[in-house]
């Protein structure tokens, strides 16, 4: 499950990064029509794009740190109480097996 989460997280972060790149490209391609409103809109877009990029960087760092903490916590718990981990895995396996065998009928 951890590998699946990591893969999904990586895909999501890559999608957000691509959206930011696309927005930046749109900003650079925007035509300045010379009006005050056009200039103000372009500056507002530039500020919002910068803010979004900063928030993305912070989010990415937070997600990576939380993932590492969760993995370390799980690892510590399994090493401290290996029999509990084996027991929980066995019970989950039994429940899943019983559920799947009933669905197959």
């Amino acid at each position: 499950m951890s590998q699946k989460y990591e893969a999904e997280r990586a895909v999501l972060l890559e999608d957000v990064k691509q959206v930011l790149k696309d927005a930046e490209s749109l900003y650079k391609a925007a035509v300045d029509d010379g009006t005050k409103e056009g200039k103000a809109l372009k500056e507002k877009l530039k500020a919002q794009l910068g803010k979004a990029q900063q928030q993305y960087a912070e989010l990415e760092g937070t997600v990576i740190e939380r993932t590492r903490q969760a993995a370390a916590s799980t690892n510590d718990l399994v090493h401290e109480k290996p029999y509990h981990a084996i027991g929980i895995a066995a019970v989950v396996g039994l429940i899943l097996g019983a559920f799947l065998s009933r669905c197959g009928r």
Side-chain angles (χ1 to χ4, degrees), residues 16-97:
V16 171
K17 189 185 298 184
Q18 187 60 46
V19 168
L20 288 173
K21 284 181 183 178
D22 291 346
E24 188 173 9
S25 296
L26 284 173
Y27 168 76
K28 288 179 180 177
V31 176
D32 191 2
D33 61 1
T35 64
K36 286 184 180 181
E37 293 85 13
K39 289 179 182 178
L41 181 61
K42 194 169 180 180
E43 286 303 313
K44 183 177 179 183
L45 178 60
K46 182 179 179 180
Q48 288 178 338
L49 181 60
K51 183 178 177 183
Q53 289 172 332
Q54 180 184 6
Q55 288 175 337
Y56 169 76
E58 291 171 3
L59 174 67
E60 185 178 29
T62 301
V63 168
I64 290 171
E65 184 58 32
R66 285 185 181 175
T67 302
R68 286 182 183 152
Q69 288 175 352
S73 179
T74 302
N75 188 38
D76 291 344
L77 181 63
V78 169
H79 281 90
E80 288 174 10
K81 300 181 180 183
Y83 294 112
H84 286 76
I86 292 170
I88 291 171
V91 169
V92 169
L94 286 171
I95 292 171
L96 186 60

